[in-house]
Amino acid sequence: MEGLQRISPLTLFMLCMNGIIGSGWLFAPLYAAKIAGPAAIISWLIGGFAAILVALTFAELSTLLPVSGGTAHIPQLSHGAFASFVLSWIAWITTLMLAPIEVQAVLQYASMFFPALMHQVDGAPTLTLWGYISAGLLMLSLCLVNIFSYRGLMRFNFVLFVFKFSVIILTIFAILHVRFTPHNFSGMLSSTLSSEGWQAIFSAVATGGIVLAFNGFKSGVELAGETKNLALAIPLSTAGTVIACLLLYIGLQVAFIGAIDPLALSNGWQQLNFTGDIGPFVGIAAALGLFWLLKLLYVNSVISPLGAGLIYVTATARILYAMSRIGYVPKFLSRLNRQRFPVWAIVVNFVLGMFSFLPLPGWQAMVNFLVSAIVITYAMGPIALMCLRLSLPDKKRPFKLPCASIVCLLAFYSCNLFSYWTGWETISKLGIVLSIGMIIFAISWLRGNIKVEMRELKTAFWILPYLAGIISISYLGAFGGHGIIPFGWDFLIIALFSYGIFKMAINSRVILDSKTVSDFLLSESRALEHG
């Protein structure tokens, strides 16, 4: 493929690691422990294993279809324009909020020194007017780096990676060395012996920030069109980064649980608190007298989320760029500057991203909504992989996933479980996002920007029962729903539902040929190279 291939495998690995290691490690160990206690370690293993399965499906897809904004293009090729729009709309809306959520994390930490940035609303830390202005300045800075300098972005990314990785390793070993209380882990086994314990473990995966903590691997999918040596770069930046981060997160969770003063747990894990839930590791370091680590954590509480936010700005712009290339949004959003950055896509994302601070105050409130939507876009990976395996069996794949049928089905099932575990209150909000997307699609279709043939509506028919099924099961289920479907039986129902939708989606795929795919890749490569 000819094109602007300027990102090396190691650089892409560091980009994705920076995208993954954001605010998740600063907050998720506390929120996961409050929900599941010491069994939060099991939650990390479940979330990490499922994320690896999903990442592996995208690894093959992105080496087969190395384009910028793969989240939008992949479903277009496998199921047509309507399916592509629905899934790319959800993906864009969710990734649009990822940079703001990292900025939100920065300001929550900064409010310890500048209380005027945050205030409590219904028990959740919420931005004040000064906080909102500060959020705007931080968001603007991330956008400017993405617009004006490719080399600056790559160098800054390297410095961020080295610093964040070093601080996390130092945090784990320093805390483990000073205090480790084995008794704090005593409840982990008992949690696995009751339905309530398992329900807490699964809830922590979705609502404790664990799923979101692995999200940055998708940056490799969005940047595949600009990457060298795909056979190494894409698997390394997707599944490889998830495995590396899983090891770091488990180390952090073990260190965190082991360092807690048993007196702080006298009222139960749910009442565990560190300065208004603002800085758990800061609280631990201060309690242990690790003042040198405390200073590093203060600096890292700004650098770590901003580093992830920087990469999310990069990835989100590629999704909007791809949507513009297809015709879902205005054409000017696919214009590139001299650095080959989609400048207008970055500008529009900045303006719209600022609104996400208003309806979802607080880090955990934003996380819960994002997870419910993000995993739906993850679900497209295993489906599209099986479709393209059947449509293009002889097409060369730089990376080919072993046991794809089993892995894809398990990955799809995991995505649906994650969405279900976020709870009915969160899932119900997806209807608003989908309704807005349908209105935009209808306007673009009526204006002739999107051409949808009848066969493309048929190939996308599975999406309607899929989304309706996810919402209905959540409404009837045991995670914040009406409890009509009891805990335990819901796993079986979701398994049967997942298998049915999986087969329906594969059977309704678009029939592709190698020439169509080759022409598409050449067109996207030329567009990226020449702007």
Side-chain angles (χ1 to χ4, degrees), residues 178-256:
V178 175
R179 180 195 287 170
F180 184 78
T181 309
H183 179 71
N184 290 349
F185 297 85
S186 60
M188 185 163 64
L189 179 60
S190 60
S191 295
T192 63
L193 301 177
S194 68
S195 60
E196 292 80 7
W198 278 109
Q199 195 164 347
I201 289 169
F202 296 138
S203 293
V205 175
T207 63
I210 290 175
V211 172
L212 191 70
F214 292 108
N215 182 65
F217 80 84
K218 281 287 295 297
S219 300
V221 177
E222 314 309 343
L223 294 169
E226 303 168 55
T227 301
K228 307 173 184 176
N229 193 358
L230 294 168
L232 174 62
I234 298 302
L236 182 65
S237 64
T238 52
T241 54
V242 173
I243 294 170
C245 287
L246 175 59
L247 297 175
L248 292 177
Y249 289 144
I250 290 176
L252 285 165
Q253 188 70 70
V254 170
F256 176 76

Side-chain angles (χ1 to χ4, degrees), residues 338-416:
R338 293 182 178 179
Q339 298 287 335
R340 293 297 180 263
F341 290 143
V343 58
W344 286 108
I346 294 173
V347 171
V348 169
N349 284 339
F350 164 75
V351 174
L352 296 178
M354 289 302 300
F355 286 100
S356 67
F357 290 106
L358 300 177
L360 294 168
W363 188 86
Q364 196 172 22
M366 297 177 83
V367 164
N368 292 348
F369 173 77
L370 283 175
V371 168
S372 66
I374 284 172
V375 293
I376 290 177
T377 66
Y378 285 179
M380 192 63 223
I383 289 174
L385 174 55
M386 292 310 302
C387 290
L388 294 175
R389 279 279 184 101
L390 293 172
S391 297
L392 303 169
D394 300 323
K395 183 75 173 176
K396 182 181 178 182
R397 290 162 167 79
F399 171 79
K400 191 168 185 177
L401 177 63
C403 305
S405 299
I406 297 174
V407 172
C408 288
L409 186 56
L410 286 174
F412 184 63
Y413 178 49
S414 299
C415 290
N416 297 335

Side-chain angles (χ1 to χ4, degrees), residues 96-97 99-100 103-104 107 127 129 131-140 143 347-360 366:
L96 180 68
M97 296 171 64
V103 169
Q104 177 89 9
L107 296 176
L127 294 176
L129 176 60
Y132 194 78
I133 292 172
S134 300
L137 293 174
L138 289 175
M139 288 283 292
L140 183 61
C143 293
V347 171
V348 169
N349 284 339
F350 164 75
V351 174
L352 296 178
M354 289 302 300
F355 286 100
S356 67
F357 290 106
L358 300 177
L360 294 168
M366 297 177 83

